[in-house]
Amino acid sequence: MFTLKIENTRGEIFELTNDETNYAVIGVSGLTRPDTTVNTSSGVSDGEYYNSSKVDMRNIVIDILLRGDIETNRQRLYKIFPLKTACTVYFKNYNRDVKIKGYVEVLDGDLFVEQEQIQISIICPQPYFESLKTLYTELSKIMRLFEFPFCITEPIPFSEKRNLPLCSILNNGDTTCGVILTISISGEVSDLKIYNTATQQFFGLDYEFQENDQITLNTQSGQKNISLIRDGEIINLLSSMQAGSSWIQLATGINNFTFTADGADFVKIIFATIELYGGV
């Protein structure tokens, strides 16, 4: 069993799998892994040399059998899914609950058959499905220990200061993914570096931060940026990236991160992770 929904630009969510009296989904393609393009070049020896490769965009094609008032139901689809417009496809089965953004390419069918069918073709430039749930992980020198509800007979600590801040993030997706980091500053901070402890790659900023600053670092594919909000003003920090910095990525499996800074006690980092899947 599966659930298939499409959300249009007006925020209307149309569930194709829960209205058997009017619509019956009889086929969906483009839900498994998309194709890959491998670029090679020939040389003087046998075979060819590998240059690069990339995952191609995804094309989801939905075949729908119209029922009930055929003309009304067909024209309803025209209004819900205008051509060229953006949409979001939601798919859920026993193991996965995911979404993907795309654009309506085709909505067509044969009007002169006994059982009229409509085909919706959706082009997804970014080929990976995204998890609906976002995983939040905190990285800070101050580890919070106080939770509600509670009942105590002896004093207990509300928090604990760690010499080496460390957090672990599990990427259960099918591929490497980016993250969104929200960095909150509660005092004077400078020379901030965030490290992947396995690869030793880092992302560093040459900037003098002050109390109440908030930095947003987005390392997702096609959305990479780094900005600071200070006193209601948004400041682009791309020019403040330290030499040798790498955009933070999560490999599949466990990823461990730490950070260093002058004034590290005043830094709190929240990782927001959206896992990516090659297919359902």
Side-chain angles (χ1 to χ4, degrees), residues 24 65 77 135 146 150 177 217 230-231 247 259 275:
L65 180 64
L77 292 177
L135 172 66
F146 186 50
F150 76 104
C177 67
L217 169 61
R230 174 179 289 175
D231 297 329
W247 294 97
F259 76 92
E275 294 170 340

Side-chain angles (χ1 to χ4, degrees), residues 8-203:
N8 63 18
T9 54
R10 297 188 295 273
E12 300 170 331
I13 297 179
F14 184 66
E15 185 171 344
L16 291 168
T17 51
N18 196 30
D19 190 5
E20 290 289 328
T21 59
N22 294 303
Y23 305 98
V25 176
I26 58 175
V28 184
S29 64
L31 297 177
T32 55
R33 289 178 177 270
D35 294 334
T36 301
T37 298
V38 178
N39 300 306
T40 61
S41 59
S42 59
V44 296
S45 59
D46 295 340
E48 296 198 359
Y49 295 100
Y50 171 85
N51 291 326
S52 63
S53 59
K54 69 180 185 70
V55 178
D56 298 335
M57 66 182 184
R58 184 182 298 275
N59 182 197
I60 297 176
V61 179
I62 307 167
D63 292 305
I64 303 170
L65 180 64
L66 297 179
R67 292 175 173 170
D69 188 334
I70 302 298
E71 290 189 358
T72 299
N73 289 336
R74 182 181 67 248
Q75 292 161 8
R76 181 186 176 201
L77 292 177
Y78 294 160
K79 292 181 180 179
I80 294 175
F81 307 115
L83 296 179
K84 305 185 298 183
T85 59
C87 66
T88 303
V89 179
Y90 296 87
F91 186 91
K92 182 179 181 179
N93 57 18
Y94 183 76
N95 289 322
R96 289 184 172 171
D97 191 2
V98 296
K99 67 178 180 179
I100 191 169
K101 296 180 180 179
Y103 297 85
V104 180
E105 178 196 29
V106 173
L107 199 160
D108 197 10
D110 188 350
L111 278 60
F112 301 99
V113 293
E114 184 175 350
Q115 289 189 314
E116 187 174 328
Q117 297 181 23
I118 286 291
Q119 186 175 84
I120 304 175
S121 175
I122 299 171
I123 298 295
C124 306
Q126 294 296 321
Y128 292 106
F129 288 99
E130 299 180 353
S131 61
L132 291 189
K133 293 182 179 180
T134 302
L135 172 66
Y136 294 96
T137 309
E138 181 177 328
L139 175 59
S140 172
K141 286 195 72 174
I142 307 299
M143 182 173 64
R144 294 179 293 178
L145 300 174
F146 186 50
E147 298 181 359
F148 287 99
F150 76 104
C151 178
I152 60 173
T153 57
E154 297 180 2
I156 60 173
F158 282 7
S159 63
E160 181 178 88
K161 186 174 180 180
R162 297 178 291 187
N163 292 326
L164 178 65
L166 185 68
C167 74
S168 296
I169 304 174
L170 173 62
N171 177 9
N172 264 325
D174 295 337
T175 187
T176 298
C177 67
V179 290
I180 299 175
L181 284 75
T182 302
I183 306 169
S184 301
I185 305 296
S186 57
E188 294 185 357
V189 174
S190 61
D191 193 23
L192 174 62
K193 290 190 181 77
I194 303 169
Y195 291 90
N196 183 315
T197 62
T199 65
Q200 291 303 304
Q201 292 180 325
F202 73 91
F203 187 95

Side-chain angles (χ1 to χ4, degrees), residues 7 33 142 216 229 234 256 258:
E7 181 179 3
R33 289 178 177 270
I142 307 299
T216 300
I229 298 179
I234 299 177
N256 294 314
T258 187

